[in-house]
């Protein structure tokens, strides 16, 4: 490798993706990729994001599917994008994880070259550009739909952005979910969301949303009590990104499950005996 | 009309030119301390940095002409990020970057009209199989590696003498900061946090070990 120096007229600036293209790196994507929708490719499924009083919460189940088979049980779909933001993925697992990796480097690269971080809006736009670049592959069936959320240091609030395959991105007011179980997760959050949730309440709602999604959608994994694999849950507030410990997530799931069980048995007792 | 100048003379003139340029700027010192590496520079500017982050465990220091060493800093960030993205984050090391700087500076020194008026420090925080390392690259491409401390800049000789008098292995951050600052200032003047720029590569700082010490923190470390 040589020292990457450029003339001032063709300097890529703080753009890592442009730097990789200029130096003939591994980012070159072929438009003639042979992937067809018929080929079984690992797909990552449900991820959710919601706003709470101090920031945002993001969570994702751990299952990746290949057609009707389970490809991975412990896949990670929620990542720190940088210190103040998180990104979650749904869609074709391979390109999605690669997109996250590029996005993470892009944000850090900008910060180091320029000496300051991008604004949250700027980060969201960067991710949109990456999704747009990916469009030709999405047309061939390798759809990647990320979810981006972070803490806006200028405005001191948590913000959530959703994306479509064309790179269109939209800011969400309160919550959003994407992936195959997204619809069920969204419904749960819609019913449970209130303004100014505490971290505790927010985590409970996110976990319940994933539970309901796994309950209705075969592509979404629930808590795996046998292997001890639980969804990844993270919060971003004014102190930055922090992942919630597995033990805590496990406890919350246990509480949720026992509550559900009680509700069911209660229902049976109440409505069991006809007139 | 072609004329002949002895190569010795050419090299001597270039070296003198570069040294003069570097001597116009302020110096920079780096040392190991208990939790990692500390770099301190005399720099009244808050935005034109002499010390910067290159990668997870690598920091950059430059003295001399700002535009010249800043170009090298950006090239270093690009090299490290490209390498880390292509291979893995663990495969990015300071030695290969210091070698690239040395080759580039050596090349410019022998082949270009004007040598670069800079000296570069590449500091790497040790990990499981690498010790803490300070690479000092001079304007003509000479590279030296230090495992205790390094001094860059025009006044290097006197500052080196002052540092070696007081240097201790594994000292605490506040002691190291005080000694480094007094080595930079000498006995006849004193430097306040406003005149200084400082940063650490600290083992307790997570993946990205680089952290700047702001005025407030410097003030606290320099107190009493």
């Amino acid at each position: 490798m040589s020292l990457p120096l450029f003339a001032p007229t063709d300097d890529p600036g703080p753009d890592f993706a442009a730097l990789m293209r200029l130096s003939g790196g591994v980012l070159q994507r072929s438009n003639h990729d042979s992937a067809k929708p018929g080929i079984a490719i690992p797909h990552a499924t449900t991820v959710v994001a919601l706003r709470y009083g101090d920031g945002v919460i993001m969570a994702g189940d751990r299952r990746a599917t290949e057609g009707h088979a389970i490809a991975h049980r412990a896949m990670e779909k929620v990542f720190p994008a940088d210190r103040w933001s998180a990104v979650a993925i749904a869609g074709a697992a391979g390109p999605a994880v690669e997109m996250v990796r590029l996005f993470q480097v892009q944000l850090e690269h900008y910060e180091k070259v320029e000496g300051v971080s991008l604004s949250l809006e700027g980060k969201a736009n960067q991710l949109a550009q990456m999704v747009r670049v990916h469009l030709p592959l999405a047309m061939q069936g390798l759809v990647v739909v990320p979810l981006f959320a972070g803490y806006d240091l200028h405005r001191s609030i948590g913000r959530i952005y959703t994306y479509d395959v064309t790179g269109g991105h939209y800011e969400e007011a309160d919550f959003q979910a994407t992936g195959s179980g997204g619809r069920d997760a969204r419904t749960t959050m819609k019913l449970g969301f209130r303004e100014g949730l505490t971290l505790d309440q927010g985590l409970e709602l996110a976990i319940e949303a994933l539970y309901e999604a796994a309950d209705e959608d075969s592509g979404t994994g629930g808590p795996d009590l046998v292997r001890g694999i639980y969804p990844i849950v993270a919060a971003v507030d004014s102190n930055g990104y922090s992942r919630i410990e597995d033990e805590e997530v496990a406890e919350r799931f246990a509480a949720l499950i026992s509550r559900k069980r009680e509700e069911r048995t209660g229902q049976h007792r109440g409505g069991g005996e006809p007139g | 009309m072609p004329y002949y100048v002895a190569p010795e003379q050419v090299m001597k003139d270039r070296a003198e030119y570069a040294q003069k340029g570097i001597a116009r700027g302020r110096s920079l010192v780096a040392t190991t301390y208990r939790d990692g590496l500390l770099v301190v520079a005399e720099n009244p500017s808050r935005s034109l940095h002499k010390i910067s982050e290159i990668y997870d465990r690598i920091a950059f220091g430059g003295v001399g002409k700002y535009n010249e060493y800043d170009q090298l800093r950006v090239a270093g960030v690009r090299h490290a990020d490209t390498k880390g993205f292509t291979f893995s984050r663990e495969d990015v090391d300071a030695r290969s970057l210091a070698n690239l700087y040395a080759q580039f500076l050596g090349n410019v020194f022998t082949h270009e009209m004007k040598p670069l008026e800079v000296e570069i420090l590449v500091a790497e925080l040790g990990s499981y199989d690498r010790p803490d390392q300070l690479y000092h690259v001079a304007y003509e491409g000479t590279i030296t590696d230090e495992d205790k401390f390094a001094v860059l800049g025009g006044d290097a000789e006197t500052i080196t003498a002052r540092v070696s008098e007081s240097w201790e292995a594994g000292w605490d951050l506040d002691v190291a900061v005080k000694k480094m600052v007094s080595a930079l200032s000498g006995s006849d003047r004193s430097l306040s946090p406003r005149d200084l720029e400082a940063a650490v590569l600290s083992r307790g700082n997570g993946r990205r070990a680089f952290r700047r010490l702001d005025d407030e923190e410097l003030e606290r470390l320099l107190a009493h």
Side-chain angles (χ1 to χ4, degrees):
Chain A
M1 288 179 118
S2 61
L3 202 60
L5 286 159
F6 300 91
T9 44
D10 52 25
D11 191 287
D15 186 351
F16 182 72
L19 168 69
M20 288 298 278
R21 279 192 292 275
L22 277 174
S23 52
V26 289
L27 281 185
Q28 301 285 0
R29 284 206 178 90
S30 151
N31 285 351
H32 310 288
D33 206 289
S34 56
K36 290 186 185 65
I39 300 175
I41 293 157
H43 273 70
T45 37
T46 309
V47 290
V48 305
L50 69 98
R51 204 164 50 74
Y52 72 104
D54 301 327
V56 284
I57 291 168
M58 223 176 208
D61 76 308
R62 305 289 289 270
R63 180 174 291 177
T65 53
E66 232 172 62
H68 292 296
I70 292 174
H72 300 286
R73 294 176 202 283
M75 193 191 156
E76 304 207 354
K77 301 172 196 174
V78 178
F79 306 86
D82 66 352
R83 209 181 142 194
W84 309 103
S85 60
V87 59
I89 48 165
V97 172
E98 195 204 324
M99 188 184 287
V100 168
R101 215 160 78 85
L102 179 63
F103 184 51
Q104 288 170 326
V105 176
Q106 176 83 318
L107 297 188
E108 189 184 315
H109 188 74
Y110 182 97
E111 186 188 327
K112 288 190 291 196
V113 170
E114 292 289 299
V116 288
S117 288
L118 272 170
S119 63
L120 194 69
E121 186 86 42
K123 292 173 199 170
N125 280 329
Q126 275 289 313
L127 188 57
Q129 283 163 29
M130 286 178 193
V131 177
R132 198 169 304 131
V133 167
H134 184 76
L135 184 60
L137 283 180
M139 299 300 266
Q140 293 172 350
L142 299 176
V143 173
V144 175
V145 201
L147 197 56
F148 178 68
Y151 189 76
D152 190 328
L153 289 166
H154 301 160
R155 293 171 185 78
S156 302
I157 48 164
R159 299 172 81 181
I160 299 168
Y161 296 86
T162 45
Y163 295 81
D164 63 25
V165 281
T166 64
H169 62 297
Y170 317 94
E171 186 172 353
E172 298 294 335
D174 301 324
F175 58 86
Q176 187 52 276
T178 170
S180 59
R183 202 188 150 94
D184 304 298
R186 249 191 324 270
T187 310
T188 311
M189 288 190 288
K190 189 159 110 188
L191 294 173
F193 186 85
R194 275 170 290 117
E195 194 55 48
L197 291 171
T198 63
L199 177 63
D200 197 58
Q201 293 164 331
L203 290 175
E204 199 164 300
L205 186 55
I207 279 169
E208 193 172 350
L210 281 181
Y211 179 89
E212 296 299 344
D215 204 33
E216 295 296 328
D217 172 46
S218 64
T220 305
D224 188 337
L225 304 173
V226 177
R227 298 180 185 82
I229 300 168
Y230 293 93
I232 292 181
V233 186
V236 190
D237 61 10
S238 57
N239 293 317
Y241 179 97
S242 61
R243 184 169 158 184
I244 310 299
E245 296 289 332
D246 269 355
E247 289 80 48
E248 191 185 336
V249 177
E251 276 168 28
R252 286 180 184 279
F253 265 109
L256 176 68
I257 288 167
S258 68
R259 203 172 67 230
K260 293 260 171 204
R261 198 179 286 144
E262 271 168 34
E263 280 168 13
R264 269 193 67 79
T265 47
Q267 261 173 18
H268 270 290
R269 269 185 219 122
E273 303 291 319
Chain B
M1 194 179 80
Y3 55 91
Y4 175 79
V5 186
E8 290 90 338
Q9 189 60 46
V10 176
M11 292 303 159
K12 205 168 148 257
D13 289 353
R14 281 189 191 159
E16 210 167 276
Y17 178 84
Q19 280 162 3
K20 263 191 198 160
I22 293 164
R24 270 196 290 272
R26 313 277 186 187
S27 302
L28 174 150
V29 291
T31 175
T32 58
Y33 76 101
R34 195 164 50 99
D35 300 323
L37 295 161
L38 164 74
V39 190
V40 185
E42 206 182 325
N43 183 6
S45 170
R46 298 292 96 181
S47 55
L48 305 176
H49 295 298
K50 284 186 166 165
I51 309 163
S52 303
E53 175 186 19
I54 294 268
Y55 209 62
D56 294 353
R57 306 176 79 82
I58 303 174
F60 173 96
V63 296
K65 252 185 131 175
Y66 175 78
N67 67 325
E68 293 182 349
Y69 67 70
D70 196 60
Q71 186 196 14
L72 292 174
R73 171 188 75 83
V74 173
V77 172
R78 285 177 178 158
H79 168 79
D81 277 345
T82 313
K83 198 174 174 187
F85 186 76
T86 311
F87 304 110
S88 121
R89 297 198 84 91
E90 289 168 42
D91 298 311
V92 179
D93 64 331
R95 190 186 49 85
S96 73
L97 181 61
N99 274 325
L100 281 177
Y101 282 146
Q103 279 169 22
F104 180 72
L105 287 170
N107 216 24
V108 172
F109 185 77
T110 34
H111 297 293
E112 304 280 326
M113 219 358 225
K114 182 191 105 54
L116 292 174
E117 300 154 67
V118 295
E119 279 184 54
I120 302 297
L121 169 85
V122 185
E124 182 177 41
L125 186 66
S127 56
Y128 60 99
D129 65 340
R130 294 182 210 146
D132 292 349
Q133 199 68 262
L134 297 161
Y135 295 97
H136 177 178
V137 188
Y139 58 87
E140 85 291 26
T142 311
I143 176 168
T144 47
D145 65 324
E146 312 280 350
D147 51 10
K148 294 189 177 84
F149 66 90
V151 182
L152 280 72
D155 213 9
E157 262 175 52
T158 40
I159 296 174
T160 304
R162 286 187 214 129
V163 176
S164 42
E165 259 174 44
S166 60
W167 193 85
E168 276 168 48
W171 50 13
D172 283 330
L173 182 60
D174 59 334
V175 184
V177 168
K178 265 177 244 156
K179 296 287 182 191
M180 290 298 116
V181 171
S182 65
L184 277 176
S185 66
S187 53
D188 50 344
R189 62 190 188 125
S190 72
L191 293 169
S192 78
R194 288 289 313 155
D195 314 313
L196 295 165
E197 180 186 354
V200 291
L201 284 172
S202 161
R203 260 177 269 280
N205 223 19
R207 174 173 71 81
R208 288 170 77 177
F210 184 86
R211 185 169 66 86
R212 291 190 186 281
L213 307 179
D214 57 21
D215 284 1
E216 226 168 85
E217 190 170 1
L218 265 182
E219 187 120 30
R220 195 159 46 72
L221 291 166
L222 283 170
H224 60 260

